[in-house]
Amino acid sequence: SYLVQSAVDGFNVCIFAYGQTGSGKTFTMYGKRDDQQLWGIAPRCMKELYEIIEREQDTYEFKVTCYMLELYNDQLVDLLPDRDKKGNVIGTPPKLDIKLDAR
């Protein structure tokens, strides 16, 4: 809830899941859709965020943006690309790069 409040307060928030294949990162982030007791971090945060927006909509104007990326074998993948009604990706997704600091 502190991360959600920080986002509402205008700060950028990042949740980073790291671990070996099969260690539970995806379950931690998403959980089980059909069982609210087993929701992961992402749906819990979104629920709380939109509850705050609903509660404060007469006081503040909100703009919500969200990125969800996967880093696998040094390749970044956008997990939330724009899709049509059939689920196909619309257009060419932007190229995602990993930038390294010069040493």
Side-chain angles (χ1 to χ4, degrees):
S1 70
Y2 292 116
L3 290 177
V4 175
Q5 187 61 55
S6 292
V8 171
D9 291 343
F11 293 94
N12 291 327
V13 174
C14 175
I15 300 171
F16 187 81
Y18 177 81
Q20 292 180 314
T21 299
S23 63
K25 299 175 300 293
T26 301
F27 187 78
T28 298
M29 294 303 292
Y30 293 113
K32 189 172 179 184
R33 177 184 290 179
D34 299 336
D35 185 348
Q36 192 170 351
Q37 294 295 321
L38 295 176
W39 278 6
I41 293 169
R44 289 173 192 265
C45 287
M46 289 298 174
K47 181 178 185 287
E48 183 170 346
L49 175 63
Y50 282 98
E51 286 173 352
I52 292 170
I53 290 171
E54 186 174 329
R55 185 175 64 236
E56 301 292 336
Q57 67 184 342
D58 294 333
T59 308
Y60 300 102
E61 182 176 317
F62 293 91
K63 177 182 178 185
V64 177
T65 57
C66 179
Y67 301 93
M68 191 168 293
L69 304 174
E70 175 182 57
L71 174 61
Y72 185 74
N73 288 337
D74 293 331
Q75 298 293 314
L76 283 174
V77 178
D78 183 356
L79 299 177
L80 299 174
D82 290 332
R83 295 182 183 274
D84 63 21
K85 292 180 181 181
K86 293 182 180 179
N88 300 313
V89 174
I90 299 172
T92 304
K95 185 172 181 345
L96 302 172
D97 285 325
I98 300 170
K99 298 195 183 322
L100 302 174
D101 290 338
R103 296 205 182 239

XYZ file of all heavy atoms in Angstrom:
833
model
N 0.812 -1.193 0.000
C 0.000 0.000 0.000
C 0.860 1.263 0.000
O 0.434 2.284 -0.517
C -0.960 -0.007 1.175
O -0.287 0.174 2.390
N 2.081 1.200 0.563
C 2.957 2.371 0.549
C 3.404 2.693 -0.873
O 3.523 3.862 -1.236
C 4.182 2.157 1.439
C 3.854 2.084 2.906
C 4.078 0.930 3.635
C 3.304 3.174 3.571
C 3.766 0.856 4.983
C 2.990 3.119 4.909
C 3.231 1.953 5.618
O 2.915 1.894 6.948
N 3.646 1.657 -1.685
C 4.041 1.894 -3.072
C 2.905 2.532 -3.857
O 3.134 3.442 -4.653
C 4.467 0.585 -3.743
C 5.771 -0.030 -3.260
C 6.013 -1.359 -3.957
C 6.939 0.909 -3.500
N 1.693 2.074 -3.640
C 0.539 2.646 -4.338
C 0.357 4.096 -3.923
O 0.167 4.974 -4.765
C -0.737 1.821 -4.072
C -1.948 2.497 -4.693
C -0.581 0.406 -4.608
N 0.447 4.378 -2.650
C 0.306 5.761 -2.183
C 1.421 6.633 -2.752
O 1.181 7.776 -3.134
C 0.287 5.836 -0.658
C -0.021 7.228 -0.133
C -1.386 7.734 -0.572
O -2.396 7.087 -0.353
N -1.417 8.898 -1.205
N 2.627 6.109 -2.841
C 3.726 6.873 -3.432
C 3.440 7.196 -4.894
O 3.707 8.303 -5.363
C 5.045 6.090 -3.335
O 5.458 5.992 -1.992
N 2.873 6.240 -5.634
C 2.511 6.485 -7.031
C 1.438 7.570 -7.118
O 1.520 8.473 -7.951
C 2.023 5.192 -7.689
N 0.440 7.504 -6.243
C -0.623 8.515 -6.225
C -0.034 9.886 -5.885
O -0.471 10.905 -6.417
C -1.740 8.127 -5.231
C -2.733 9.260 -5.035
C -2.452 6.864 -5.709
N 0.975 9.904 -5.049
C 1.624 11.163 -4.662
C 2.528 11.717 -5.758
O 3.118 12.780 -5.593
C 2.437 10.971 -3.382
C 1.558 10.741 -2.169
O 0.351 11.043 -2.230
O 2.086 10.241 -1.149
N 2.670 10.984 -6.875
C 3.430 11.490 -8.012
C 4.802 10.888 -8.209
O 5.539 11.295 -9.110
N 5.173 9.930 -7.398
C 6.475 9.299 -7.537
C 6.389 8.122 -8.516
O 5.358 7.446 -8.607
C 6.985 8.782 -6.184
C 7.303 9.873 -5.210
C 6.354 10.282 -4.286
C 8.534 10.509 -5.233
C 6.632 11.294 -3.388
C 8.823 11.521 -4.345
C 7.869 11.919 -3.414
N 7.478 7.881 -9.252
C 7.559 6.680 -10.081
C 7.784 5.492 -9.164
O 8.558 5.571 -8.206
C 8.713 6.773 -11.079
C 8.455 7.812 -12.144
O 7.330 8.033 -12.539
N 9.509 8.455 -12.604
N 7.111 4.398 -9.440
C 7.220 3.196 -8.621
C 7.599 2.032 -9.518
O 7.078 1.891 -10.620
C 5.887 2.896 -7.895
C 5.945 1.566 -7.170
C 5.550 4.014 -6.927
N 8.511 1.206 -9.047
C 8.939 0.035 -9.802
C 8.948 -1.172 -8.875
O 9.444 -1.097 -7.750
C 10.338 0.254 -10.370
S 11.027 -1.191 -11.204
N 8.381 -2.262 -9.346
C 8.448 -3.529 -8.619
C 9.255 -4.473 -9.493
O 8.929 -4.677 -10.660
C 7.042 -4.101 -8.350
C 6.232 -3.120 -7.503
C 7.146 -5.461 -7.668
C 4.775 -3.492 -7.359
N 10.296 -5.030 -8.949
C 11.234 -5.850 -9.708
C 11.232 -7.255 -9.124
O 11.503 -7.431 -7.938
C 12.627 -5.225 -9.597
C 13.665 -5.856 -10.469
C 13.763 -5.513 -11.808
C 14.548 -6.782 -9.938
C 14.738 -6.086 -12.608
C 15.516 -7.363 -10.728
C 15.616 -7.013 -12.065
N 10.880 -8.230 -9.944
C 10.898 -9.627 -9.500
C 12.086 -10.317 -10.164
O 12.235 -10.269 -11.384
C 9.602 -10.325 -9.880
N 12.916 -10.943 -9.373
C 14.139 -11.563 -9.877
C 14.253 -12.965 -9.305
O 13.955 -13.193 -8.138
C 15.347 -10.720 -9.440
C 16.671 -11.303 -9.831
C 17.164 -11.137 -11.123
C 17.438 -12.026 -8.922
C 18.380 -11.677 -11.487
C 18.657 -12.570 -9.274
C 19.125 -12.388 -10.557
O 20.325 -12.917 -10.924
N 14.685 -13.884 -10.137
C 14.901 -15.237 -9.644
C 15.026 -16.240 -10.770
O 14.813 -15.931 -11.945
N 15.347 -17.444 -10.406
C 15.517 -18.516 -11.376
C 14.174 -18.894 -11.998
O 13.111 -18.652 -11.429
C 16.109 -19.757 -10.713
C 17.528 -19.572 -10.254
C 18.050 -20.834 -9.596
O 17.384 -21.433 -8.770
N 19.248 -21.238 -9.988
N 14.247 -19.520 -13.167
C 13.055 -20.049 -13.819
C 12.350 -21.008 -12.862
O 12.979 -21.857 -12.242
C 13.442 -20.781 -15.121
O 14.074 -19.840 -15.994
C 12.227 -21.379 -15.800
N 11.043 -20.838 -12.727
C 10.252 -21.723 -11.881
C 10.248 -21.358 -10.409
O 9.703 -22.101 -9.587
N 10.833 -20.205 -10.055
C 10.929 -19.858 -8.635
C 9.698 -19.127 -8.089
O 9.630 -18.854 -6.902
C 12.179 -19.013 -8.381
O 12.103 -17.785 -9.080
N 8.730 -18.785 -8.964
C 7.494 -18.179 -8.488
C 7.333 -16.700 -8.769
O 6.435 -16.066 -8.213
N 8.159 -16.125 -9.631
C 8.062 -14.689 -9.933
C 6.705 -14.335 -10.539
O 6.065 -13.380 -10.113
C 9.171 -14.268 -10.902
C 10.581 -14.473 -10.379
C 11.614 -14.147 -11.428
C 11.518 -14.992 -12.671
N 11.813 -16.397 -12.534
N 6.281 -15.096 -11.529
C 5.013 -14.810 -12.194
C 3.852 -14.946 -11.222
O 2.953 -14.099 -11.184
C 4.809 -15.734 -13.416
O 5.898 -15.533 -14.313
C 3.493 -15.444 -14.122
N 3.850 -15.970 -10.404
C 2.776 -16.149 -9.429
C 2.782 -15.002 -8.419
O 1.727 -14.485 -8.039
C 2.889 -17.492 -8.715
C 1.714 -17.782 -7.836
C 0.516 -18.219 -8.388
C 1.777 -17.579 -6.475
C -0.596 -18.457 -7.586
C 0.685 -17.822 -5.662
C -0.506 -18.265 -6.227
N 3.958 -14.581 -7.993
C 4.056 -13.462 -7.055
C 3.481 -12.194 -7.668
O 2.777 -11.444 -7.008
C 5.521 -13.228 -6.640
O 5.992 -14.403 -5.963
C 5.660 -12.023 -5.739
N 3.767 -11.964 -8.938
C 3.296 -10.745 -9.597
C 1.811 -10.810 -9.955
O 1.103 -9.831 -9.788
C 4.121 -10.469 -10.859
C 5.584 -10.136 -10.561
S 5.809 -8.731 -9.451
C 5.224 -7.401 -10.459
N 1.339 -11.947 -10.471
C -0.049 -12.050 -10.951
C -0.967 -12.814 -10.006
O -2.137 -12.475 -9.886
C -0.100 -12.762 -12.313
C 0.531 -11.987 -13.427
C 1.683 -12.443 -14.036
C -0.039 -10.808 -13.885
C 2.266 -11.741 -15.075
C 0.533 -10.104 -14.916
C 1.684 -10.571 -15.515
O 2.257 -9.882 -16.531
N -0.478 -13.879 -9.414
C -1.309 -14.698 -8.553
C -2.300 -15.523 -9.343
O -2.067 -15.876 -10.492
N -3.430 -15.801 -8.722
C -4.483 -16.602 -9.345
C -5.701 -15.713 -9.537
O -6.294 -15.228 -8.566
C -4.819 -17.797 -8.446
C -5.737 -18.797 -9.077
C -5.867 -20.027 -8.207
C -6.815 -21.011 -8.873
N -7.053 -22.171 -8.042
N -6.091 -15.510 -10.771
C -7.152 -14.565 -11.128
C -8.479 -14.869 -10.447
O -9.184 -13.976 -9.999
C -7.336 -14.566 -12.641
C -8.464 -13.667 -13.101
C -8.693 -13.762 -14.576
N -7.576 -13.137 -15.268
C -7.461 -13.079 -16.577
N -8.365 -13.638 -17.337
N -6.432 -12.481 -17.125
N -8.840 -16.133 -10.357
C -10.166 -16.521 -9.877
C -10.306 -16.534 -8.358
O -11.399 -16.757 -7.858
C -10.529 -17.908 -10.421
C -10.568 -17.935 -11.939
O -10.771 -16.860 -12.550
O -10.392 -19.015 -12.522
N -9.209 -16.326 -7.646
C -9.248 -16.388 -6.180
C -8.605 -15.124 -5.617
O -7.381 -15.001 -5.604
C -8.522 -17.643 -5.696
C -8.614 -17.842 -4.195
O -9.034 -16.914 -3.475
O -8.247 -18.944 -3.738
N -9.420 -14.189 -5.157
C -8.903 -12.910 -4.674
C -7.901 -13.083 -3.534
O -7.002 -12.272 -3.371
C -10.056 -12.004 -4.248
C -9.631 -10.574 -4.020
C -10.799 -9.635 -3.844
O -11.946 -10.003 -4.056
N -10.514 -8.419 -3.458
N -8.027 -14.145 -2.756
C -7.062 -14.409 -1.680
C -5.678 -14.731 -2.240
O -4.678 -14.581 -1.538
C -7.555 -15.574 -0.808
C -8.817 -15.275 -0.034
C -8.608 -14.174 1.003
O -7.574 -14.115 1.658
N -9.576 -13.298 1.131
N -5.629 -15.183 -3.489
C -4.361 -15.548 -4.116
C -3.931 -14.567 -5.203
O -3.090 -14.894 -6.035
C -4.452 -16.976 -4.692
C -4.639 -18.083 -3.666
C -4.817 -19.427 -4.355
C -3.477 -18.131 -2.678
N -4.516 -13.367 -5.213
C -4.075 -12.354 -6.165
C -2.624 -12.000 -5.882
O -2.168 -11.971 -4.740
C -4.902 -11.095 -6.016
C -6.219 -11.118 -6.721
C -6.794 -12.168 -7.377
C -7.128 -10.041 -6.832
N -8.009 -11.801 -7.882
C -8.237 -10.494 -7.563
C -7.113 -8.736 -6.378
C -9.317 -9.684 -7.857
C -8.195 -7.927 -6.660
C -9.280 -8.394 -7.397
N -1.899 -11.686 -6.937
C -0.512 -11.273 -6.804
C -0.394 -9.775 -6.559
O -1.388 -9.058 -6.366
N 0.836 -9.302 -6.601
C 1.119 -7.893 -6.321
C 0.430 -6.977 -7.321
O -0.175 -5.973 -6.939
C 2.644 -7.653 -6.332
C 3.287 -8.377 -5.160
C 2.971 -6.170 -6.303
C 4.800 -8.425 -5.219
N 0.496 -7.283 -8.617
C -0.056 -6.388 -9.648
C -1.564 -6.176 -9.497
O -2.018 -5.025 -9.435
C 0.303 -6.897 -11.041
N -2.387 -7.228 -9.439
C -3.824 -6.967 -9.299
C -4.197 -6.316 -7.960
O -5.116 -5.494 -7.905
C -4.477 -8.347 -9.445
C -3.404 -9.344 -9.353
C -2.124 -8.648 -9.657
N -3.482 -6.628 -6.903
C -3.766 -5.978 -5.615
C -3.469 -4.480 -5.687
O -4.245 -3.654 -5.194
C -2.940 -6.605 -4.495
C -3.376 -7.998 -4.107
C -2.383 -8.619 -3.106
N -2.617 -10.016 -2.930
C -3.353 -10.533 -1.951
N -3.911 -9.749 -1.058
N -3.523 -11.836 -1.877
N -2.346 -4.141 -6.303
C -1.978 -2.723 -6.442
C -2.962 -1.984 -7.328
O -3.366 -0.858 -7.019
C -0.569 -2.592 -7.001
S 0.725 -3.022 -5.825
N -3.357 -2.605 -8.437
C -4.314 -1.949 -9.336
C -5.661 -1.737 -8.641
O -6.274 -0.676 -8.780
C -4.505 -2.766 -10.618
C -3.325 -2.729 -11.528
S -2.998 -1.041 -12.071
C -1.496 -1.285 -12.952
N -6.104 -2.719 -7.885
C -7.364 -2.579 -7.152
C -7.270 -1.412 -6.177
O -8.156 -0.555 -6.130
C -7.690 -3.866 -6.403
C -8.999 -3.828 -5.622
C -9.265 -5.176 -4.953
C -10.597 -5.234 -4.267
N -10.646 -4.466 -3.025
N -6.195 -1.354 -5.417
C -6.027 -0.270 -4.446
C -5.915 1.081 -5.146
O -6.502 2.075 -4.710
C -4.803 -0.518 -3.574
C -4.638 0.536 -2.513
C -3.575 0.194 -1.488
O -3.133 -0.965 -1.424
O -3.200 1.110 -0.747
N -5.166 1.134 -6.242
C -4.993 2.379 -6.984
C -6.337 2.928 -7.456
O -6.654 4.104 -7.252
C -4.068 2.152 -8.183
C -3.880 3.334 -9.117
C -3.217 4.495 -8.394
C -3.071 2.910 -10.333
N -7.150 2.062 -8.059
C -8.435 2.532 -8.575
C -9.443 2.823 -7.465
O -10.345 3.648 -7.651
C -8.965 1.585 -9.644
C -8.228 1.828 -10.946
C -7.158 1.027 -11.314
C -8.571 2.896 -11.759
C -6.460 1.276 -12.484
C -7.882 3.150 -12.928
C -6.824 2.345 -13.291
O -6.128 2.611 -14.445
N -9.291 2.218 -6.312
C -10.116 2.598 -5.160
C -9.769 4.010 -4.704
O -10.654 4.804 -4.375
C -9.938 1.599 -4.020
C -10.629 0.277 -4.258
C -10.311 -0.769 -3.197
O -9.437 -0.533 -2.331
O -10.932 -1.849 -3.248
N -8.480 4.329 -4.688
C -8.043 5.683 -4.312
C -8.554 6.695 -5.336
O -9.066 7.759 -4.981
C -6.509 5.757 -4.185
C -6.041 4.940 -2.980
C -6.040 7.209 -4.070
C -4.543 4.746 -2.897
N -8.432 6.361 -6.614
C -8.905 7.268 -7.665
C -10.398 7.526 -7.527
O -10.854 8.667 -7.624
C -8.556 6.703 -9.057
C -7.044 6.768 -9.282
C -9.314 7.432 -10.155
C -6.568 6.053 -10.520
N -11.163 6.477 -7.293
C -12.609 6.639 -7.132
C -12.936 7.516 -5.928
O -13.782 8.402 -5.998
C -13.283 5.277 -6.990
C -14.792 5.363 -6.963
C -15.461 3.988 -6.957
O -14.894 3.037 -7.522
O -16.542 3.899 -6.372
N -12.212 7.289 -4.838
C -12.462 8.041 -3.606
C -12.081 9.524 -3.756
O -12.735 10.397 -3.202
C -11.671 7.398 -2.466
C -11.919 8.005 -1.113
C -11.210 7.265 -0.010
N -9.761 7.336 -0.155
C -8.944 6.267 -0.228
N -9.424 5.042 -0.162
N -7.647 6.415 -0.354
N -11.024 9.805 -4.533
C -10.489 11.168 -4.629
C -10.824 11.866 -5.951
O -10.296 12.944 -6.220
C -8.959 11.119 -4.469
C -8.485 10.518 -3.169
C -8.805 11.373 -1.948
O -8.979 12.603 -2.099
O -8.888 10.805 -0.839
N -11.721 11.278 -6.751
C -11.968 11.820 -8.090
C -12.537 13.235 -8.095
O -12.346 13.977 -9.065
C -12.872 10.883 -8.881
C -14.279 10.765 -8.354
C -15.087 9.755 -9.135
O -14.737 9.392 -10.245
N -16.179 9.285 -8.549
N -13.204 13.641 -7.041
C -13.747 14.999 -6.982
C -12.698 16.023 -6.549
O -12.924 17.225 -6.688
C -14.939 15.059 -6.020
C -16.116 14.242 -6.515
O -16.238 14.057 -7.739
O -16.916 13.778 -5.666
N -11.575 15.545 -6.031
C -10.540 16.434 -5.519
C -9.367 16.572 -6.484
O -8.796 17.645 -6.629
C -10.009 15.900 -4.170
O -11.125 15.672 -3.300
C -9.059 16.874 -3.528
N -8.999 15.479 -7.157
C -7.815 15.453 -8.014
C -8.153 14.914 -9.397
O -9.140 14.203 -9.576
C -6.727 14.563 -7.404
C -6.268 15.008 -6.033
C -6.718 14.358 -4.891
C -5.390 16.063 -5.894
C -6.307 14.757 -3.630
C -4.973 16.479 -4.640
C -5.429 15.818 -3.514
O -5.017 16.219 -2.279
N -7.285 15.243 -10.345
C -7.356 14.654 -11.678
C -6.220 13.644 -11.787
O -5.085 13.946 -11.418
C -7.185 15.744 -12.736
C -7.304 15.232 -14.147
C -7.216 16.360 -15.144
O -7.830 17.413 -14.925
O -6.503 16.186 -16.148
N -6.513 12.460 -12.270
C -5.528 11.386 -12.322
C -5.221 10.996 -13.758
O -6.096 11.027 -14.630
C -6.055 10.133 -11.595
C -6.206 10.322 -10.112
C -7.400 10.774 -9.572
C -5.152 10.048 -9.265
C -7.543 10.953 -8.212
C -5.286 10.225 -7.895
C -6.487 10.676 -7.366
N -3.975 10.626 -13.980
C -3.550 10.009 -15.233
C -2.727 8.792 -14.840
O -1.724 8.903 -14.126
C -2.707 10.956 -16.073
C -2.194 10.298 -17.347
C -1.305 11.226 -18.152
C -0.794 10.486 -19.373
N 0.173 11.320 -20.102
N -3.150 7.624 -15.295
C -2.478 6.380 -14.937
C -1.764 5.825 -16.165
O -2.369 5.690 -17.226
C -3.486 5.336 -14.398
C -2.796 4.017 -14.105
C -4.187 5.859 -13.156
N -0.490 5.539 -16.014
C 0.258 4.819 -17.043
C 0.954 3.647 -16.371
O 1.323 3.718 -15.197
C 1.318 5.699 -17.741
O 2.207 6.230 -16.765
C 0.670 6.850 -18.501
N 1.093 2.582 -17.119
C 1.676 1.376 -16.546
C 2.518 0.674 -17.607
O 2.110 0.576 -18.767
C 0.550 0.449 -16.072
S 1.127 -1.089 -15.366
N 3.651 0.213 -17.215
C 4.517 -0.574 -18.085
C 4.783 -1.895 -17.390
O 4.987 -1.943 -16.178
C 5.859 0.133 -18.320
C 5.709 1.488 -18.941
C 5.636 2.623 -18.148
C 5.630 1.636 -20.314
C 5.501 3.875 -18.706
C 5.495 2.882 -20.886
C 5.430 3.999 -20.077
O 5.291 5.240 -20.628
N 4.791 -2.952 -18.151
C 5.165 -4.247 -17.609
C 6.111 -4.892 -18.618
O 5.734 -5.146 -19.759
C 3.949 -5.130 -17.355
C 4.319 -6.363 -16.551
S 2.892 -7.268 -15.933
C 2.215 -6.138 -14.754
N 7.333 -5.094 -18.187
C 8.369 -5.625 -19.059
C 8.907 -6.927 -18.501
O 8.905 -7.142 -17.283
C 9.527 -4.635 -19.183
C 9.195 -3.239 -19.669
C 10.421 -2.349 -19.588
C 8.654 -3.277 -21.076
N 9.386 -7.753 -19.405
C 10.068 -8.980 -19.013
C 11.471 -8.916 -19.584
O 11.662 -8.564 -20.745
C 9.337 -10.189 -19.588
C 10.052 -11.508 -19.315
C 9.321 -12.681 -19.946
O 9.100 -12.666 -21.163
O 8.975 -13.598 -19.187
N 12.449 -9.230 -18.770
C 13.836 -9.332 -19.213
C 14.214 -10.800 -19.177
O 14.195 -11.423 -18.117
C 14.763 -8.529 -18.289
C 16.257 -8.649 -18.533
C 16.620 -8.174 -19.928
C 17.018 -7.867 -17.476
N 14.498 -11.347 -20.344
C 14.826 -12.763 -20.433
C 15.934 -12.929 -21.458
O 15.796 -12.481 -22.599
C 13.593 -13.576 -20.827
C 13.831 -15.068 -20.825
C 13.929 -15.765 -19.619
C 13.981 -15.777 -22.008
C 14.153 -17.126 -19.599
C 14.210 -17.142 -22.001
C 14.295 -17.811 -20.791
O 14.523 -19.154 -20.765
N 17.026 -13.542 -21.054
C 18.184 -13.722 -21.942
C 18.613 -12.407 -22.588
O 18.826 -12.323 -23.795
C 17.893 -14.772 -23.020
C 17.864 -16.168 -22.461
O 18.442 -16.436 -21.408
N 17.192 -17.066 -23.136
N 18.708 -11.357 -21.788
C 19.135 -10.029 -22.240
C 18.218 -9.401 -23.278
O 18.628 -8.511 -24.019
C 20.575 -10.061 -22.773
C 21.590 -10.358 -21.680
O 21.320 -10.001 -20.518
O 22.649 -10.938 -21.985
N 16.968 -9.841 -23.365
C 15.986 -9.257 -24.276
C 14.817 -8.710 -23.458
O 14.293 -9.404 -22.590
C 15.448 -10.308 -25.265
C 16.499 -10.895 -26.177
C 17.038 -9.866 -27.157
O 16.283 -9.129 -27.770
N 18.342 -9.815 -27.289
N 14.432 -7.477 -23.747
C 13.265 -6.889 -23.091
C 12.027 -7.168 -23.932
O 12.043 -7.019 -25.153
C 13.428 -5.376 -22.946
C 14.349 -4.907 -21.838
C 14.532 -3.395 -21.906
C 13.809 -5.296 -20.480
N 10.939 -7.563 -23.269
C 9.675 -7.853 -23.939
C 8.586 -7.033 -23.255
O 8.460 -7.062 -22.024
C 9.330 -9.363 -23.847
C 7.994 -9.646 -24.515
C 10.440 -10.206 -24.441
N 7.809 -6.287 -24.050
C 6.672 -5.527 -23.531
C 5.525 -6.499 -23.292
O 5.031 -7.135 -24.217
C 6.266 -4.461 -24.552
C 5.133 -3.566 -24.065
O 4.595 -3.808 -22.964
O 4.795 -2.630 -24.791
N 5.092 -6.648 -22.058
C 4.018 -7.572 -21.727
C 2.629 -6.949 -21.856
O 1.628 -7.644 -21.705
C 4.217 -8.121 -20.309
C 5.504 -8.912 -20.091
C 5.604 -9.342 -18.635
C 5.585 -10.111 -21.016
N 2.566 -5.646 -22.147
C 1.273 -4.968 -22.285
C 1.190 -4.191 -23.603
O 0.827 -3.008 -23.615
C 1.050 -4.005 -21.105
C 1.019 -4.610 -19.715
C 0.928 -3.514 -18.666
C -0.130 -5.580 -19.588
N 1.462 -4.829 -24.752
C 1.363 -4.090 -26.015
C -0.103 -3.827 -26.375
O -1.004 -4.516 -25.886
C 2.008 -5.038 -27.032
C 1.720 -6.399 -26.485
C 1.803 -6.230 -24.973
N -0.334 -2.826 -27.225
C -1.696 -2.573 -27.707
C -2.143 -3.761 -28.543
O -1.397 -4.270 -29.381
C -1.736 -1.299 -28.565
C -1.536 -0.048 -27.740
O -1.889 -0.062 -26.542
O -1.033 0.948 -28.292
N -3.382 -4.207 -28.312
C -3.918 -5.373 -29.031
C -5.296 -5.048 -29.586
O -6.036 -4.264 -29.009
C -4.008 -6.578 -28.109
C -2.653 -7.061 -27.625
C -2.779 -8.290 -26.735
N -1.504 -8.710 -26.221
C -0.662 -9.525 -26.854
N -0.983 -10.026 -28.024
N 0.488 -9.853 -26.316
N -5.645 -5.735 -30.693
C -6.986 -5.588 -31.239
C -7.943 -6.529 -30.504
O -7.545 -7.223 -29.566
C -6.999 -5.822 -32.757
C -6.583 -7.232 -33.157
O -6.646 -8.164 -32.322
O -6.196 -7.414 -34.328
N -9.206 -6.560 -30.936
C -10.210 -7.373 -30.247
C -9.915 -8.867 -30.320
O -10.403 -9.633 -29.490
C -11.594 -7.079 -30.811
C -12.077 -5.691 -30.475
C -13.448 -5.415 -31.039
C -13.858 -3.996 -30.680
N -15.183 -3.660 -31.167
N -9.127 -9.278 -31.300
C -8.780 -10.696 -31.443
C -7.527 -11.060 -30.645
O -7.124 -12.205 -30.615
C -8.569 -11.045 -32.911
C -9.830 -10.951 -33.733
C -9.567 -11.347 -35.171
C -10.835 -11.243 -35.991
N -10.595 -11.589 -37.399
N -6.895 -10.051 -30.034
C -5.707 -10.313 -29.231
C -4.401 -10.163 -29.979
O -3.327 -10.408 -29.429
N -4.466 -9.737 -31.248
C -3.251 -9.555 -32.039
C -2.606 -8.214 -31.714
O -3.294 -7.208 -31.527
C -3.578 -9.611 -33.537
C -4.196 -10.940 -33.924
O -3.707 -11.990 -33.543
N -5.288 -10.887 -34.666
N -1.271 -8.187 -31.678
C -0.544 -6.950 -31.405
C -0.785 -5.980 -32.558
O -0.705 -6.345 -33.728
C 0.965 -7.228 -31.228
C 1.738 -5.928 -31.087
C 1.203 -8.115 -30.017
N -1.110 -4.725 -32.217
C -1.362 -3.685 -33.209
C -0.049 -2.987 -33.533
O 0.629 -2.480 -32.642
C -2.380 -2.658 -32.684
C -3.716 -3.332 -32.388
C -2.552 -1.504 -33.667
C -4.714 -2.437 -31.691
N 0.279 -2.946 -34.814
C 1.472 -2.234 -35.254
C 2.756 -2.908 -34.812
O 2.770 -4.047 -34.357
N 3.830 -2.168 -34.942
C 5.148 -2.655 -34.540
C 5.471 -2.098 -33.166
O 5.491 -0.876 -32.988
C 6.227 -2.194 -35.541
O 5.850 -2.629 -36.841
C 7.584 -2.753 -35.170
N 5.693 -2.979 -32.195
C 6.013 -2.478 -30.853
C 7.325 -1.687 -30.884
O 8.206 -1.973 -31.701
C 6.171 -3.742 -30.014
C 5.702 -4.877 -30.837
C 5.676 -4.425 -32.253
N 7.457 -0.695 -30.020
C 8.698 0.069 -29.992
C 9.876 -0.824 -29.589
O 9.710 -1.782 -28.842
C 8.450 1.147 -28.941
C 7.326 0.629 -28.112
C 6.515 -0.269 -28.988
N 11.050 -0.504 -30.118
C 12.251 -1.260 -29.774
C 12.640 -0.931 -28.341
O 12.716 0.234 -27.961
C 13.389 -0.903 -30.726
C 14.633 -1.725 -30.502
C 15.639 -1.459 -31.595
C 16.905 -2.239 -31.496
N 17.276 -2.915 -30.341
N 12.854 -1.942 -27.566
C 13.240 -1.772 -26.163
C 14.716 -2.123 -26.038
O 15.155 -3.169 -26.516
C 12.397 -2.692 -25.260
C 10.894 -2.481 -25.361
C 10.163 -3.554 -24.587
C 10.508 -1.104 -24.854
N 15.477 -1.238 -25.418
C 16.913 -1.449 -25.269
C 17.317 -1.450 -23.809
O 16.694 -0.789 -22.981
C 17.703 -0.332 -25.960
C 17.703 -0.456 -27.461
O 17.724 -1.582 -27.969
O 17.692 0.600 -28.132
N 18.373 -2.169 -23.545
C 19.016 -2.126 -22.238
C 20.211 -1.218 -22.397
O 21.062 -1.427 -23.258
C 19.467 -3.532 -21.796
C 18.269 -4.464 -21.704
C 20.226 -3.458 -20.479
C 18.640 -5.919 -21.504
N 20.245 -0.160 -21.611
C 21.344 0.795 -21.704
C 22.300 0.550 -20.544
O 21.893 0.481 -19.400
C 20.809 2.219 -21.683
C 19.900 2.473 -22.870
C 19.675 3.939 -23.036
C 18.765 4.270 -24.088
N 18.267 4.174 -25.115
N 23.553 0.434 -20.863
C 24.582 0.210 -19.860
C 25.319 1.504 -19.576
O 25.586 2.280 -20.496
C 25.560 -0.862 -20.331
C 24.953 -2.239 -20.662
C 26.016 -3.144 -21.247
C 24.333 -2.845 -19.434
N 25.653 1.722 -18.321
C 26.464 2.880 -17.962
C 27.861 2.697 -18.517
O 28.420 1.595 -18.499
C 26.557 3.030 -16.439
C 25.245 3.461 -15.813
O 24.404 4.031 -16.538
O 25.069 3.212 -14.616
N 28.458 3.807 -18.997
C 29.841 3.745 -19.472
C 30.753 3.576 -18.268
O 30.576 4.199 -17.233
C 30.180 5.029 -20.229
N 31.713 2.733 -18.420
C 32.658 2.509 -17.307
C 34.051 2.793 -17.762
O 34.508 2.555 -18.768
C 32.561 1.079 -16.809
C 31.189 0.848 -16.226
C 31.230 -0.269 -15.224
N 29.887 -0.470 -14.749
C 29.539 -0.362 -13.504
N 30.420 -0.077 -12.599
N 28.298 -0.554 -13.134
